[in-house]
Amino acid sequence: MADLRAQIKTTKDARARDELKRQLASMESKKKSRARKDDEDRLLAEHRSKEKELVAQGKTPFYLKKSEQKKRLLLNRYEKMTKGQVDRAIERKRKKVSGREKKELDGLQRRER
């Protein structure tokens, strides 16, 4: 990635620079998704190990639902952020959901007419 950044700075051709920028963005996106997947796997592994210990003590196993997994991942992600970052992330999420709802409502109104 550092090589790509250096190439972007030295490249004169606009098309080549755009292609390099696209490659760099793709690599960064893959890195972020890999880190997110690793966090998810780590969280699930922690839960499984705790459950194994409890089952060994005689308790019945408790399996996490997908919704509970998502909640825990979200809480884990927000714990790493500062308050301002959390507020900004929640605001972005709210805007995204409201935009999606407006789009759906607009589509429904057009069908009724």
Side-chain angles (χ1 to χ4, degrees), residues 62-78:
F62 172 73
Y63 300 101
L64 283 178
K65 297 179 201 170
K66 285 284 187 183
S67 61
E68 186 63 29
Q69 287 178 14
K70 288 180 183 179
K71 284 180 189 175
R72 289 188 181 188
L73 287 171
L74 195 62
L75 286 173
N76 192 18
R77 194 172 304 143
Y78 286 161

Side-chain angles (χ1 to χ4, degrees), residues 40-80:
E40 182 179 333
D41 292 342
R42 184 185 43 75
L43 186 76
L44 292 175
E46 283 178 14
H47 176 74
R48 286 188 192 118
S49 65
K50 288 177 186 176
E51 282 300 314
K52 281 183 182 179
E53 291 173 9
L54 292 174
V55 168
Q57 294 174 4
K59 308 230 170 149
T60 58
F62 172 73
Y63 300 101
L64 283 178
K65 297 179 201 170
K66 285 284 187 183
S67 61
E68 186 63 29
Q69 287 178 14
K70 288 180 183 179
K71 284 180 189 175
R72 289 188 181 188
L73 287 171
L74 195 62
L75 286 173
N76 192 18
R77 194 172 304 143
Y78 286 161
E79 284 175 359
K80 295 177 184 176

Side-chain angles (χ1 to χ4, degrees), residues 62-113:
F62 172 73
Y63 300 101
L64 283 178
K65 297 179 201 170
K66 285 284 187 183
S67 61
E68 186 63 29
Q69 287 178 14
K70 288 180 183 179
K71 284 180 189 175
R72 289 188 181 188
L73 287 171
L74 195 62
L75 286 173
N76 192 18
R77 194 172 304 143
Y78 286 161
E79 284 175 359
K80 295 177 184 176
M81 296 180 185
T82 63
K83 179 156 177 28
Q85 289 173 330
V86 171
D87 291 341
R88 198 165 61 234
I90 290 173
E91 183 65 20
R92 265 189 265 133
K93 186 73 169 178
R94 187 192 62 75
K95 284 183 180 180
K96 182 179 176 182
V97 170
S98 68
R100 192 178 303 143
E101 288 174 351
K102 286 178 186 176
K103 193 173 183 180
E104 289 175 5
L105 285 175
D106 189 37
L108 289 174
Q109 288 175 354
R110 288 183 183 171
R111 284 189 209 142
E112 290 175 358
R113 291 179 185 173

Side-chain angles (χ1 to χ4, degrees), residues 1-12 16-32:
M1 286 171 57
D3 292 340
L4 276 177
R5 286 188 181 100
Q7 286 179 359
I8 289 170
K9 288 181 181 179
T10 58
T11 304
K12 303 282 188 224
R17 186 180 301 130
D18 289 342
E19 179 62 30
L20 291 172
K21 284 181 181 179
R22 200 167 326 134
Q23 287 177 359
L24 181 63
S26 173
M27 289 174 75
E28 288 174 345
S29 174
K30 286 179 184 177
K31 184 179 175 183
K32 279 185 180 179

